[in-house]
Amino acid sequence: MSKLRIDARFAALKAAGRPGLITFVMAGDPDGDSFEAILAALPGAGADLIEIGMPFTDPMADGPAIQAGGLRALAGGQTMVKTLAQVDRFRARDQATPIILMGYYNPIYAYGVERFLADAKGAGVDGLIIVDLPPEEDDELCLPAIAADLAFVRLATPTTDDRRLPTVLTNTGGFVYYVSITGITGAASPQAADVAAAVGRLKRHTDLPVAVGFGIRTAEQAAAIAATADAAVVGSAVVSLIAEAAADGLRGKVLAERIAGFIATLAAGVRAVARAA
Amino acid sequence: MVQAAPAPNSYRAMPDARGHFGLYGGRFVAETLMPLILDLEQAYRDARQDPSFQAELDYFLAHYVGRPSPLYFAERLTAHCGGAKVYFKRDELNHTGAHKINNCMGQILLARRMGKRRIIAETGAGQHGVATATVAARFGLPCTIYMGATDIERQAPNVFRMKLLGAEVVPVTSGSRTLKDAMNEALRDWVTRVDETFYIIGTVAGPHPYPAMVRDFQAVIGTEARAQMLEAEGRLPDSLVACIGGGSNAMGLFYPFLDDPGIAIHGVEAAGHGIETGAHAASLAAGRPGVLHGNRTYLLQDADGQILEAHSISAGLDYPGIGPEHAWLHDVGRVHYHSVTDDEALAAFRLCAEIEGIIPALEPSHALAQVLKMAPALPSDHLLLMNLCGRGDKDIFTVAKALGVSL
């Protein structure tokens, strides 16, 4: 079912003749109830797939916005158990929107790999993106995840050359996440032309959908990137907006509406990119 | 917690081809860095087999660093303890005042060989930052040092030293603002400017090949000490003692002796205010295996896998992890690990200054405190060798504060 939910969503996007929008939010940010309200509002606002960050104290590939989001969540008492329970409650209401958990290995390792995979699957998680598990460490989590029918979505980067690409694509499931810049999340914005060339290169090596992220902040950028890829990922910009709105005192449904408004503009940008089915 | 594995044929055959020391080590890094890590591994393998690389390194170690460092019989300390014969390996006499430069010299020669144009490093106490800034200045490469904002406050002399050497010192204000956060920020820099940058990691941690490479560059300590002890006493030492933060001075001393079964080996972690207080840096004594900064090792962490802040009076030991080879040597029982509190280290610091005329760094003061515990009970023909891996000039402000003295 898991991989199928991601596959079905990309198939539906293709049939609709448009690219997808993937949004990233940090679990438990700024607090558990507000996070659940935001999560619940994302599909209606136009998020086609959802990445949920699992907070970690030492997120070495993330920029300031997502670092701060993780620390806000941890300060509020977020744990892996809570994250999985939040996904479970989301899934009870929405059986179609794929959920991909994104983060670092240590919280999963501490939870226990077998237990994590069973609980994630049970909660309705569809895929995993684990930043610090390259193919060289596949037996840690990637292979057990595949055996548990969870997609292991791999990151490909500008430094992943043609020689290495087959290694990266082996065991990758659901889609390929192309990191459009060398750098951390939320840093420099990618050049659409470079991304188009990179996506073309990936497409020569795989039939999987290609999503592109890192540094996409506006509806215009999302549209430009989505024009060349199967989906655009927006993360830091969403997390920054949550930080601003939370600092203004917004919580719960009011905060969720503010975030949904931004997601809707991103979705409108992406959906304006029509292409031949 | 972890079951001891059967004793291997050699303790010096690690890591395996994937960079694992038993359960520990590995390459837990973002994909952006992976091609570079593989290039580095290849470049290091080639360099090791190139006699001209070793010859160049030997030249700079002799004429620039000042090696070999002396082996010194600490006669008055020995008399004070009334037991084992205590020797110091005097790596505090190296250029820049600690063992750190042994590794920096090796890595910068490798960086040049790889055609890298820019050096970055993390630092805690500032000793590795100073050593990195030093070799970067010597070879004319721009250098950026990441240092936790908290450490910048408590190690002001080293910050100024780095700046005099032309390095840019970037304060890290994320997380706990200490060494682990400086390492996160250095990794973020590396991932951003991956093609031109060489990251000189200062300890036997990080993704493979760093733990093995740093150990190899530091093993000059143990290799020299072996020959020097044979010269001085006609035989090898009976026991070795070294302090451990990440553990590079300890691995450097221990490695050439690991396969001598008669030699007892002791590593000393920082117990801070005491293990029971939670304010310490003893990852073997109070941590459990986890994954951070590119390797699996013992980490101070909570039940949910979140990394805890370490504490030690010594900024160089103030790290919530330990090199993966130490984690393995701990599990297989080849090395015995102990812990020493801030107060015990301070007392050893003062004693060493007063009766040997050597002001040690706070890091090896932890090793010395362990020596003071062990030596009195050992026979007078027992040869105990301690790595005096750094000098204490950088620590006088910290020590003055701890003693309630205003300078």
Side-chain angles (χ1 to χ4, degrees), chain B residues 260-311:
Chain B
D260 294 286
I263 300 181
I265 306 182
H266 303 274
V268 185
E269 296 189 291
H273 297 318
I275 305 280
E276 69 288 351
T277 67
H280 60 80
S283 23
L284 288 178
R288 60 178 205 282
V291 173
L292 180 69
H293 294 154
N295 61 168
R296 175 163 31 222
T297 188
Y298 281 80
L299 298 173
L300 300 179
Q301 56 182 318
D302 70 11
D304 218 41
Q306 305 298 339
I307 307 304
L308 299 173
E309 292 179 24
H311 164 79

Side-chain angles (χ1 to χ4, degrees), chain A residues 58-59 106 137 140 164, chain B residues 27 31-32 184 188 291 296:
Chain A
D58 293 81
N106 200 54
E137 304 290 350
E140 293 285 338
R164 182 164 170 80
Chain B
R27 288 176 288 212
E31 173 57 27
T32 309
N184 289 334
R188 290 176 188 128
V291 173
R296 175 163 31 222

Side-chain angles (χ1 to χ4, degrees), chain A residues 66-219:
Chain A
I66 291 179
Q67 289 174 41
L71 293 179
R72 280 193 301 274
L74 291 173
Q78 187 70 14
T79 62
M80 187 69 86
V81 169
K82 289 183 183 176
T83 300
L84 293 174
Q86 286 155 348
V87 173
D88 192 53
R89 287 191 286 271
F90 172 88
R91 186 56 80 213
R93 295 183 307 267
D94 183 325
Q95 284 80 52
T97 307
I99 294 278
I100 297 108
L101 293 183
M102 183 165 184
Y104 297 81
Y105 184 38
N106 200 54
I108 294 171
Y109 186 67
Y111 193 91
V113 166
E114 291 307 316
R115 176 183 166 220
F116 171 79
L117 292 174
D119 291 357
K121 181 80 188 162
V125 170
D126 303 292
L128 304 173
I129 301 175
I130 308 301
V131 177
D132 53 354
L133 284 177
E136 282 72 10
E137 304 290 350
D138 265 359
D139 44 2
E140 293 285 338
L141 182 66
C142 173
L143 298 179
I146 292 169
D149 192 28
L150 286 165
F152 201 82
V153 178
R154 196 92 74 188
L155 303 170
T157 74
T159 60
T160 313
D161 59 18
D162 281 333
R163 192 165 46 109
R164 182 164 170 80
L165 205 43
T167 306
V168 169
L169 293 171
T170 304
N171 298 327
T172 298
F175 59 98
V176 180
Y177 185 141
Y178 181 66
V179 175
S180 57
I181 52 161
T182 58
I184 53 179
T185 52
S189 295
Q191 298 297 316
D194 295 345
V195 171
V199 171
R201 186 165 70 89
L202 285 171
K203 291 277 186 186
R204 288 195 294 277
H205 287 269
T206 181
D207 294 330
L208 287 170
V210 176
V212 176
F214 277 47
I216 303 172
R217 309 195 66 86
T218 66

Side-chain angles (χ1 to χ4, degrees), chain B residues 142-161:
Chain B
C143 175
T144 301
I145 305 288
Y146 290 92
M147 188 167 184
T150 302
D151 290 336
I152 284 182
E153 285 165 28
R154 59 179 170 175
Q155 300 287 341
N158 272 345
V159 174
F160 186 55
R161 222 167 265 150

